[in-house]
Amino acid sequence: MTAEPVTSSTAAPGAEYADTASAAYRAALQVIESVEPRIAAATRKELADQRDSLKLIASENYASPAVLLTMGTWLSDKYAEGTIGHRFYAGCQNVDVVESVAAEHARELFGAPYAYAQPHSGIDANLVAFWAILATRVEAPGLAELGAKHVNDLSETDWESLRNKLGNQRLLGMSLDAGGHLTHGFRPNISGKMFHQRSYGTDPETGLLDYDKLAAAAREFKPLILVGGYSAYPRRVNFAKLREIADEVGATLMVDMAHFAGLVAGKVFTGDEDPVPHAHVTTTTTHKSLRGPRGGLVLAQPEYSDAVDKGCPMVLGGPLSHVMAAKAVALAEARQPSFQAYAQRVADNAKALAEGFLKRGARLVTGGTDNHIVLLDVTSFGLTGRQAESALLDAGVVTNRNSIPADPNGAWYTSGIRFGTPALTTRGFGATEFDRVAELVVDVLNNTTPTQASSGPSKAKYTLADGTAERVHAASAEMLAANPLYPGLTL
Ligand code: DSN
């Protein structure tokens, strides 16, 4: 394998204005320092820590300085509850521009008829979507008007009727251990409380989604909402098939593309693998593979757009105008051809990482990847996910432990480690570096021994053989130095 240089078509944005951004950050930190030096110090330290570690958390990335700088303005000071042109506060003319531009970029980028840029996070985006689907689909007096009326205008009888109708709606989503997300009906989340919920899993042998079984589960359960999307499933999904299943049982297809929105934006997932034309409602975060600020978005087909548009104040508090502005900037970046090259490289790098693990004898859930995620089963190293995560962190490799299907160690200790390629790809890592990352990870895990506690094996304790952390730190330092985070940015 030969090293692939990061060409200007795949490099992350920012180097071209690094001097200006450096001056802006130096000035900002000086001002912060004069008011609360501990915050300035923690902010500086965070940059140093991020620069010095191998960030492999699949849901993280590095937003460009333009995106980050956009968040630090007085747009934060404005209240703007309501929607574009219809606010509950005066003086929202500039926020209207900001929100319109963010929504316009989102519609153009994803080819969606309607986009809502207000959600503060992924869970907020999903709550907006749930309420919009309920408001559109469930027949109950007062429900359709809920967004338009102030909630206090509904009578107690209306509310009683609403509660009865809403309480038993059904939601079918991917189970957490198969790679689904907490907000897709998992019990500790409100989605698992507000809906009568069931999960679909993956094939126990292959770890792959079984569309026939999913269709059978949908026929039997007849959900109002079929949720597609995942946060730890290392494969692509055929959303056209999910829509067929939803249509057959009269369900609304809601897809949460938070993890892979960057691959959709970058046209790596097209046709049946692009959820936007198939789903009635699509939600996403903006900070993962999409490489924007921390926040959410909802895209909707026209029949759901009125209800989604009432997300604030139905579900959301005042919009974060500074973050919507940063979403607009990030979405503008994602519309550049360089973002498509980046997204392709994210997927290619995940394959290189998976191949790197497989050729060193490691076991991967589903046997590989075709998105940005690699899920390593660490039981073959005799470890729990918790032990592996901590040992890797000791060596400067930042990951997160994750359940694997039918996980014997449960959701706290787990048996898996989830890896993702978006962040290090932004730094410029290519296939050669990701093969080396696999080698370093395997080195750490081979040199980690679970500690036996007197009362039985502890699922959290371990020892790392002497010299391992230093060896891995040194090897990663070389790769990190060759692929600097925010090149040219000096504080
Ligand atoms: N916390 C995100 C993840 O790590 O996948 C999802 O919310």
Side-chain angles (χ1 to χ4, degrees):
M1 227 178 284
T2 53
E4 304 148 62
V6 181
T7 65
S8 57
S9 66
T10 59
E16 66 279 20
Y17 53 76
D19 286 347
T20 317
S22 299
Y25 279 116
R26 279 198 290 268
L29 285 163
Q30 208 178 328
V31 172
I32 297 166
E33 205 148 34
S34 70
V35 180
E36 179 41 288
R38 289 173 297 176
I39 296 302
T43 307
R44 286 177 194 281
K45 175 79 167 42
E46 181 61 23
L47 178 61
D49 289 353
Q50 294 212 21
R51 279 181 156 161
D52 290 349
S53 57
L54 277 181
K55 171 145 105 166
L56 288 154
I57 292 181
S59 47
E60 293 188 6
N61 209 330
Y62 305 106
S64 72
V67 169
L68 299 178
L69 283 165
T70 307
M71 281 187 281
T73 78
W74 34 88
L75 283 168
S76 168
D77 296 336
K78 189 74 196 92
Y79 249 119
E81 278 171 332
T83 192
I84 302 166
H86 304 276
R87 308 281 182 183
F88 291 85
Y89 291 81
C92 295
Q93 61 281 0
N94 300 310
V95 179
D96 279 348
V97 172
V98 165
E99 186 171 348
S100 302
V101 174
E104 176 194 299
H105 279 308
R107 286 193 308 271
E108 294 292 326
L109 178 64
F110 293 110
Y114 168 83
Y116 187 60
Q118 288 194 28
H120 309 159
S121 68
I123 183 170
D124 283 357
N126 286 350
L127 281 174
V128 169
F130 290 148
W131 275 97
I133 296 167
L134 290 169
T136 306
R137 295 283 314 273
V138 177
E139 286 173 22
L143 184 55
E145 294 80 40
L146 250 188
K149 276 189 184 181
H150 193 279
V151 287
N152 291 345
D153 294 340
L154 290 180
S155 69
E156 258 320 298
T157 322
D158 284 342
W159 273 112
E160 190 53 30
S161 160
L162 278 177
R163 274 192 288 273
N164 290 336
K165 297 266 186 175
L166 297 179
N168 269 320
Q169 298 302 325
R170 296 174 182 189
L171 178 138
L172 180 64
M174 194 181 220
S175 69
L176 201 64
D177 73 344
H181 189 252
L182 200 65
T183 56
H184 300 176
F186 189 55
R187 286 285 163 197
N189 180 258
I190 184 77
S191 58
K193 310 281 184 208
M194 66 190 269
F195 290 106
H196 179 41
Q197 172 277 346
R198 273 199 207 165
S199 301
Y200 56 88
T202 46
D203 182 88
E205 293 299 312
T206 62
L208 297 172
L209 198 50
D210 180 333
Y211 295 94
D212 291 336
K213 276 203 187 136
L214 168 50
R219 273 180 217 121
E220 208 239 307
F221 187 52
K222 298 200 173 28
L224 176 80
I225 306 178
L226 172 62
V227 182
Y230 51 78
S231 59
Y233 179 67
R235 295 290 174 177
R236 300 182 188 198
V237 170
N238 184 327
F239 294 107
K241 274 195 191 163
L242 258 56
R243 175 60 186 261
E244 265 172 42
I245 294 168
D247 284 347
E248 186 192 328
V249 301
T252 295
L253 177 62
M254 170 181 154
V255 175
D256 176 348
M257 65 168 181
H259 255 267
F260 51 92
L263 301 186
V264 177
K267 312 290 176 225
V268 176
F269 292 0
T270 56
D272 292 352
E273 294 166 354
D274 175 354
V276 180
H278 302 294
H280 298 94
V281 183
T282 305
T283 61
T284 186
T285 53
T286 44
H287 50 272
K288 298 186 175 84
S289 54
L290 194 52
R291 207 163 65 184
R294 192 159 290 282
L297 279 180
V298 182
L299 309 173
Q301 298 299 332
E303 65 271 34
Y304 291 89
S305 61
D306 278 355
V308 171
D309 210 42
K310 299 186 174 105
C312 171
M314 183 61 213
V315 174
L316 302 171
L320 308 177
S321 305
H322 57 307
V323 180
M324 290 197 294
K327 286 175 194 172
V329 171
L331 291 163
E333 288 176 354
R335 292 182 67 190
Q336 299 301 315
S338 58
F339 194 84
Q340 296 191 8
Y342 162 72
Q344 186 57 54
R345 201 167 155 98
V346 165
D348 293 345
N349 283 343
K351 277 210 187 314
L353 180 65
E355 280 160 20
F357 282 134
L358 292 170
K359 78 182 184 201
R360 293 175 176 91
R363 197 188 91 76
L364 300 180
V365 173
T366 78
T369 179
D370 49 30
N371 56 22
H372 63 296
I373 295 172
V374 175
L375 189 54
L376 177 65
D377 176 352
V378 294
T379 55
S380 59
F381 293 92
L383 300 170
T384 63
R386 176 83 189 269
Q387 290 160 334
E389 177 192 81
S390 302
L392 286 166
L393 188 62
D394 291 344
V397 183
V398 187
T399 63
N400 69 283
R401 64 187 186 279
N402 210 99
S403 300
I404 60 172
D407 200 310
N409 287 317
W412 179 248
Y413 291 107
T414 82
S415 302
I417 292 287
R418 184 184 68 164
F419 297 88
T421 52
L424 290 179
T425 303
T426 293
R427 284 186 78 139
F429 276 42
T432 309
E433 288 81 6
F434 273 100
D435 179 62
R436 182 88 169 113
V437 168
E439 186 185 350
L440 297 178
V441 168
V442 169
D443 184 7
V444 172
L445 300 182
N446 277 335
N447 283 290
T448 305
T449 314
T451 307
Q452 302 293 311
S454 51
S455 56
S458 159
K459 291 184 172 185
K461 301 222 167 74
Y462 64 95
T463 49
L464 186 59
D466 285 350
T468 310
E470 294 74 11
R471 184 169 65 245
V472 171
H473 266 295
S476 9
E478 245 175 64
M479 286 191 287
L480 293 169
N483 297 279
L485 173 59
Y486 302 127
L489 189 83
T490 53
L491 296 186

